[in-house]
């Protein structure tokens, strides 16, 4: 029987996610000094089966900039720790109040709100400790480690994810102006996706001009990703999503679908993915998996 052609996300996963997951599992086996229940709570969400898009992007960008993926693993781990922390916090009753994530009960449903909050906090701090202490062990020069880590902090903090979550969840911060939904998505989602790409690239020897290409790619990929996330909330099933569908409307969220309608949102996702591909054209005139990925993610169904 003829094997069907793999999509770009499957190819990316094949190249990087196995490596990442093996490394993560070994890392989580060392639990020196971590209280058992805190380790269990962190492990539960980390190993719940996410797509690993962000760490894979980091490893792929690093490899394209001359750094073996194995050497960039501590950066990829830091990024997945922060992403997972943000999901644990996002699901809490005081935020989105969700009971399903990655196809499993949310962290606070299993471990309670207090431990879920601490597990998120712990992952955030551990992320930076891990990158700062282990990237130099891999032979990455300190100045690159510091630059990549500073950018990761920027993408996660008040100008990045925390700021985006404020615009998304604090109704008093909501503004009626055209394009406000882009401000939410840029900070809440695109900042971390962009820094996943940019931090990987920075670990290598890269010019500012080339870095700009990765920066623009990450921004547009991140926007496309959030637009599709909003679309899937209204079109996909609980099984496909691994989380509760139709939450955005129930919570009166400002999304690309509520702002522009479903059909327009679909075209906006394609426009952003085309911008992402264009950003890499000069670096990869013959094309590249990262460009195929942008095209695939704009039309993903999970
Ligand atoms: C703890 C840094 C930190 C921030 C606190 C809670 C919060 C502020 C921010 C949450 C931001 C958030 C949930 C953005 C949504 C991004 C998004 C589309 C997540 C889904 O990503 P996938 O589909 O998930 O890649 P998997 O499970 O596959 O990893």
């Amino acid at each position: 029987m003829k094997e069907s052609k793999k999509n770009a996300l499957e190819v990316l996963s094949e190249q990087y996610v196995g490596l990442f997951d093996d490394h993560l599992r070994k890392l989580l086996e060392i639990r020196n000094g971590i209280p058992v229940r805190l380790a269990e709570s962190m492990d539960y969400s980390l190993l719940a089966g996410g797509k690993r898009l962000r760490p894979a992007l980091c490893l792929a960008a690093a490899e394209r900039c001359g750094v073996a993926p194995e050497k960039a693993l501590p950066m990829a781990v830091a990024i997945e720790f922060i992403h997972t922390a943000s999901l644990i916090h996002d699901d809490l009753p005081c935020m989105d109040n969700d009971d399903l994530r990655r196809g499993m009960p949310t962290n606070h449903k299993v471990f309670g709100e207090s431990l879920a909050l601490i597990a998120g906090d712990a992952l955030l701090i551990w992320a930076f400790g891990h990158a700062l202490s282990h990237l130099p062990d891999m032979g990455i020069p300190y100045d690159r480690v510091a630059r990549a880590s500073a950018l990761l902090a920027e993408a996660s903090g008040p100008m990045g994810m925390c700021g985006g979550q404020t615009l998304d969840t604090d109704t008093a911060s909501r503004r009626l102006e055209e394009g406000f939904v882009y401000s939410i998505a840029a900070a809440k989602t695109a900042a971390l996706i962009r820094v996943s790409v940019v931090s990987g690239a920075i670990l290598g020897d890269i010019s500012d001009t080339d870095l700009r290409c990765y920066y623009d790619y990450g921004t547009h990929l991140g926007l496309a990703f959030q637009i599709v996330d909003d679309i899937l909330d209204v079109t996909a099933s609980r099984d496909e999503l691994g989380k509760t569908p139709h939450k955005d409307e129930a919570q009166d969220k400002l999304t690309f679908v509520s702002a522009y309608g479903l059909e327009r949102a679909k075209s906006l996702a394609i426009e952003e993915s085309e911008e992402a591909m264009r950003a890499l054209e000069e670096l990869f005139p013959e094309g590249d998996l990262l460009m195929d990925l942008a095209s695939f993610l704009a039309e993903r169904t999970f």
Side-chain angles (χ1 to χ4, degrees):
M1 212 168 59
K2 201 175 156 221
E3 221 184 289
S4 65
K5 194 172 177 288
K6 291 193 172 72
N7 68 50
L9 185 60
E10 286 168 339
V11 178
L12 189 84
S13 300
E14 220 169 68
Q15 292 183 2
Y16 303 104
V17 175
L19 174 74
F20 176 80
D21 278 344
D22 285 351
H23 177 78
L24 180 66
R25 277 175 202 283
K26 282 190 199 121
L27 173 68
L28 297 180
E29 277 164 20
I30 311 162
R31 13 183 94 198
N32 291 349
I34 306 178
V36 174
R37 290 257 305 152
L38 176 57
E40 284 172 358
S41 170
M42 293 188 297
D43 291 4
Y44 176 80
S45 291
L46 285 169
L47 301 175
K51 290 184 280 300
R52 309 293 197 214
L53 172 67
R54 296 155 190 80
L57 284 170
C58 174
L59 299 180
E63 189 170 39
R64 281 154 183 73
C65 297
V67 177
E70 290 76 6
K71 296 194 174 202
L73 280 167
M75 196 76 226
V77 165
I79 290 164
E80 187 66 11
F81 279 4
I82 291 177
H83 171 56
T84 303
S86 79
L87 299 182
I88 296 173
H89 285 183
D90 187 52
D91 290 333
L92 285 169
C94 62
M95 295 216 196
D96 271 6
N97 191 18
D98 230 314
D99 53 13
L100 191 70
R101 170 71 71 177
R102 293 175 165 175
M104 290 164 61
T106 42
N107 197 295
H108 64 272
K109 285 279 164 195
V110 180
F111 295 94
E113 273 180 58
S114 167
L115 198 45
L117 187 66
I118 300 172
D121 290 344
L123 284 169
L124 276 177
I125 311 282
W126 192 7
F128 289 99
H130 185 77
L132 290 166
S133 49
H134 292 289
L135 284 167
D137 294 346
M138 300 287 184
I140 308 288
Y142 279 105
D143 58 338
R144 294 183 196 171
V145 174
R147 192 174 173 206
S149 304
L151 287 173
L152 180 58
E154 191 179 306
S156 315
M159 289 166 283
M161 257 196 297
C162 291
Q165 185 75 347
T166 304
L167 301 181
D168 190 29
T169 56
D170 176 47
T171 44
S173 299
R174 198 183 274 190
R175 296 195 302 271
L176 290 172
E177 72 210 28
E178 165 80 18
F180 185 61
V181 69
Y182 275 95
S183 308
I184 301 176
K188 184 180 87 162
T189 305
L192 191 66
I193 290 186
R194 175 175 60 226
V195 83
S196 303
V197 181
V198 164
S199 64
I202 281 178
L203 301 182
D205 186 16
I206 183 165
S207 69
D208 285 348
T209 317
D210 288 0
L211 190 60
R212 182 79 220 182
C213 301
Y214 285 103
Y215 184 97
D216 290 343
Y217 169 79
T219 303
H220 293 294
L221 185 77
L223 287 172
F225 194 81
Q226 183 58 54
I227 298 171
V228 177
D229 200 71
D230 289 353
I231 292 171
L232 292 177
D233 181 73
V234 296
T235 59
S237 68
R238 195 178 161 92
D239 281 352
E240 284 166 317
L241 283 182
K243 59 181 180 176
T244 319
H246 307 293
K247 286 282 290 193
D248 292 337
E249 198 183 354
Q251 294 181 333
D252 194 27
K253 285 277 183 76
L254 178 60
T255 71
F256 284 91
V257 175
S258 68
Y260 296 103
L262 186 56
E263 289 315 308
R264 180 82 184 115
K266 285 180 184 169
S267 356
L268 291 174
I270 292 170
E271 279 172 29
E272 291 300 336
S273 95
E274 285 171 353
E275 284 291 324
M277 285 188 271
R278 248 192 304 281
L280 291 187
E281 256 168 17
E282 251 177 60
L283 293 182
F284 304 106
E286 309 289 318
D288 185 79
L289 175 61
L290 292 179
M291 296 159 85
D292 300 341
L293 180 74
S295 165
F296 173 75
L297 287 182
E299 305 199 54
R300 72 192 163 104
T301 54
F302 54 90

